[in-house]
Amino acid sequence: MTYDIAHLPGDGIGVEVTEATLPLVERVADDHGFSVEATTYGWGSEHYIEHGSMMPEGALDRLADHDAIFLGAVGHPDIPDHVTLRGMMLPIRKTFDQFVCERPSVLFEGVESPLRGYEGGDIDFVVYRENTEGEYADIGGREHRGHEHELAVQSAVFTRHGTERIVRAAFEAATERDGKLTNVTKSNAQAYGMVLWDDIVEGVAEEYPAVTVERLLVDAASMDLIRRPDEFDVVVASNLFGDILTDIGAIVSGSMGLAPSANVTHDERYPSMYEPVHGSAPDIAGQGVANPLAAVLSAAMMLEDLGEPAAADALHDAVAAQLADPGAPRTPDLGGESGTEAVTADLRDRL
């Protein structure tokens, strides 16, 4: 079996960490009786600077032919973030209906949380973020630019279809984990879309009587992820709230450099996309010190979804073993002095 992967290194350290990870993916593929062929597309901010677009015409048609997409990061200090996001990430997510953004937060053994009193394994939750509508819907506009009465309208969109499917996916995940789901909204202030969301959660919950449901407003959830992160199991949230909460989850688990993600479609015609959460980090790009572990863990999620759980476990277990080893190389974000190459070389030896 050969899997055809679209490699989008993107910008900054995204290039470094994905290029370091792909040989490890090829290694575990060889060890487990399948192969991976990666096609690299040099799209992103440099393409925008040269051509005025993040991707060329027909890019999405080319990506659609692949089994999965492995993305590094998108972002450039000279280009507004809304340009890079709307020029590449959002079109991919929406065109391929990648409605599930799955972001696990795990405190690995050997990693120190900035929160006192937590050890390896104490923090282990996953956020299911709605990924194609909500607050990131491209509905709105600006009028009277440059005048005192300039205005902007930004609308959020919550459909029953879009909300129910992410909620149901989160409940399914909870049944396979510890049986607890936390629903995060702001329905006290947003009395239409968020109340619809809460109503749908309440309705779907009747189909999953074994799952305990907790309801939190997003401000309380932000506090509680710091105050009691060990009590969370599966969190379901809107596009914006899920985006914010997962950055909190990453940092209380030790580092943004350990935070993987999957943008998952349930439409067999399209590929899902896998990426580290950390962004392009232009401040350290080119220095060779970027932590590749989030990219490696994202690749493990990709292999799992492609139907290769043993290979996925091999990658995940190598990361866990390295982090638990006090003598293993570590990048500066984890308190070490090693670089990307040393970390991936150690992982290769462990594989």
Side-chain angles (χ1 to χ4, degrees):
M1 180 68 179
T2 300
Y3 297 102
D4 186 10
I5 308 301
H7 173 217
L8 300 180
D11 305 322
I13 66 169
V15 179
E16 301 169 43
V17 297
T18 55
E19 288 182 350
T21 298
L22 282 174
L24 301 178
V25 175
E26 294 168 355
R27 170 68 180 272
V28 295
D30 289 341
D31 291 345
H32 291 85
F34 64 96
S35 61
V36 170
E37 292 184 359
T39 303
T40 300
Y41 297 101
W43 306 333
S45 295
E46 293 301 326
H47 190 277
Y48 180 87
I49 292 170
E50 184 174 351
H51 302 286
S53 63
M54 294 292 291
M55 300 186 292
E57 185 177 350
L60 295 172
D61 290 335
R62 294 162 71 179
L63 292 177
D65 293 332
H66 293 275
D67 296 314
I69 302 168
F70 187 43
L71 173 70
V74 175
H76 192 285
D78 296 331
I79 305 174
D81 289 339
H82 71 274
V83 172
T84 55
L85 182 67
R86 291 174 58 171
M88 191 167 178
M89 302 282 286
L90 294 186
I92 292 173
R93 293 173 182 171
K94 293 181 180 181
T95 298
F96 300 143
D97 202 24
Q98 296 168 349
F99 71 93
V100 176
C101 183
E102 180 184 349
R103 293 186 173 183
S105 293
V106 177
L107 179 61
F108 285 92
E109 182 181 349
V111 175
E112 183 177 357
S113 170
L115 304 179
R116 183 176 56 197
Y118 294 99
E119 299 179 351
D122 287 347
I123 301 173
D124 183 353
F125 63 87
V126 60
V127 175
Y128 273 66
R129 164 191 170 193
E130 200 292 314
N131 210 33
T132 58
E133 52 179 54
E135 304 90 346
Y136 290 5
D138 192 17
I139 295 178
R142 290 175 65 179
E143 290 286 349
H144 312 299
R145 295 185 184 224
H147 295 277
E148 292 183 357
H149 58 289
E150 181 176 359
L151 64 90
V153 175
Q154 188 82 48
S155 297
V157 174
F158 297 93
T159 66
R160 177 169 291 277
H161 168 72
T163 303
E164 183 171 329
R165 62 182 183 173
I166 187 64
V167 167
R168 194 173 297 280
F171 270 100
E172 289 290 334
T175 63
E176 298 174 2
R177 289 174 54 93
D178 293 337
K180 182 177 180 181
L181 182 140
T182 301
N183 172 41
V184 177
T185 62
K186 188 63 176 173
S187 51
N188 60 338
Q190 296 178 310
Y192 302 112
M194 290 274 138
V195 172
L196 170 66
W197 181 293
D198 283 344
D199 289 345
I200 290 171
V201 169
E202 184 177 347
V204 174
E206 296 178 359
E207 303 175 29
Y208 296 87
V211 175
T212 301
V213 179
E214 177 185 29
R215 175 180 168 185
L216 289 177
L217 299 176
V218 66
D219 40 358
S222 300
M223 176 184 68
D224 283 346
L225 281 174
I226 296 170
R227 188 172 64 90
R228 53 179 184 95
D230 55 315
E231 296 182 18
F232 289 89
D233 181 26
V234 176
V235 178
V236 64
S238 68
N239 215 330
L240 175 62
F241 294 166
D243 199 1
I244 295 169
L245 294 174
T246 50
D247 275 16
I248 297 175
I251 206 64
V252 301
S253 302
S255 172
M256 290 293 290
L258 297 175
S261 74
N263 302 273
V264 180
T265 180
H266 288 184
D267 191 325
E268 296 182 356
R269 297 174 297 173
Y270 302 130
S272 296
M273 179 168 65
Y274 304 83
E275 57 172 316
V277 173
H278 51 58
S280 60
D283 56 323
I284 62 169
Q287 299 178 27
V289 298
N291 188 343
L293 296 184
V296 176
L297 292 170
S298 298
M301 296 177 76
M302 177 177 70
L303 293 177
E304 177 78 27
D305 288 349
L306 287 173
E308 301 293 345
D313 288 345
L315 274 183
H316 187 279
D317 292 349
V319 170
Q322 182 186 81
L323 292 171
D325 183 353
R330 294 195 178 201
T331 47
D333 61 301
L334 293 176
E337 299 180 353
S338 299
T340 311
E341 185 176 345
V343 170
T344 52
D346 179 79
L347 287 176
R348 187 164 52 249
D349 291 341
R350 294 176 190 275
L351 289 172

